[in-house]
Amino acid sequence: MQTANILVIEDNQEDSALLDKLLGNEGYNVYVVDSGEEAVKVLKSKPINVVLTEMRMPGMNGVDITRLALGRNKTISVIVMTAYSFVSTAIEAMEVGAYGYVSKPLNMTEVRIVVKRALERNVLLSSDERQEQLAEMSVKDGLTGVFNRRFMTAFIKKKIL
């Protein structure tokens, strides 16, 4: 399996350096940015598997980042980082599709476990999506999108019998 790509969106320099080191030591490709605008550029240019985003930032917040990331690729797992007092806002991000959240101050063991589970989820979603593509390819012509003869024969037999 290829190395996972993780996007960290954190405006606190200490936390971003800590996450970069931790995730890099786990063998992941880590892209660290400090704003939502920079995150958009990375999401457009790299195949990201997991996004770790600060909930409260100037400009785009964690909910905006979640919507944007999932809009680009529904198999991305978004993890929101938030101060304990802002857990309700992290839940708001989960309602729009975030995988989970971690509280600040960051517990590196917790971050490691949540990222690992998010990557496992990412692999499962990717394989499900691939199976759907293969199933569609088996019954439709790739060029025209029209159902093939095998599908139509089975469909007609079902309707007649």
Side-chain angles (χ1 to χ4, degrees), residues 14-122:
E14 290 177 20
D15 285 345
S16 63
L18 197 61
L19 289 165
D20 188 22
K21 183 177 179 182
L22 170 78
L23 298 171
N25 287 342
E26 292 291 314
Y28 306 130
N29 295 323
V30 183
Y31 303 92
V32 179
V33 298
D34 63 3
S35 70
E37 292 74 22
E38 289 180 47
V40 171
K41 293 176 188 174
V42 174
L43 285 167
K44 287 182 178 178
S45 65
K46 306 284 184 200
I48 300 298
N49 304 103
V50 174
V51 174
L52 237 71
T53 183
E54 170 61 43
M55 186 62 206
R56 293 185 172 250
M57 294 179 295
M60 300 177 86
N61 64 23
V63 174
D64 298 330
I65 296 292
T66 301
R67 283 190 183 114
L68 178 80
L70 293 173
R72 293 199 60 76
N73 180 350
K74 66 182 179 179
T75 65
I76 291 177
S77 295
V78 179
I79 301 166
V80 177
M81 300 177 288
T82 187
Y84 181 72
S85 59
F86 300 118
V87 169
S88 61
T89 55
I91 292 171
E92 181 184 352
M94 291 176 69
E95 288 174 346
V96 297
Y99 170 73
Y101 72 93
V102 291
S103 298
K104 288 186 169 185
L106 294 172
N107 175 325
M108 291 302 121
T109 302
E110 178 185 12
V111 170
R112 188 180 300 114
I113 291 168
V114 172
V115 167
K116 183 179 178 191
R117 288 191 178 147
L119 284 168
E120 290 169 355
R121 173 188 176 271
N122 181 273

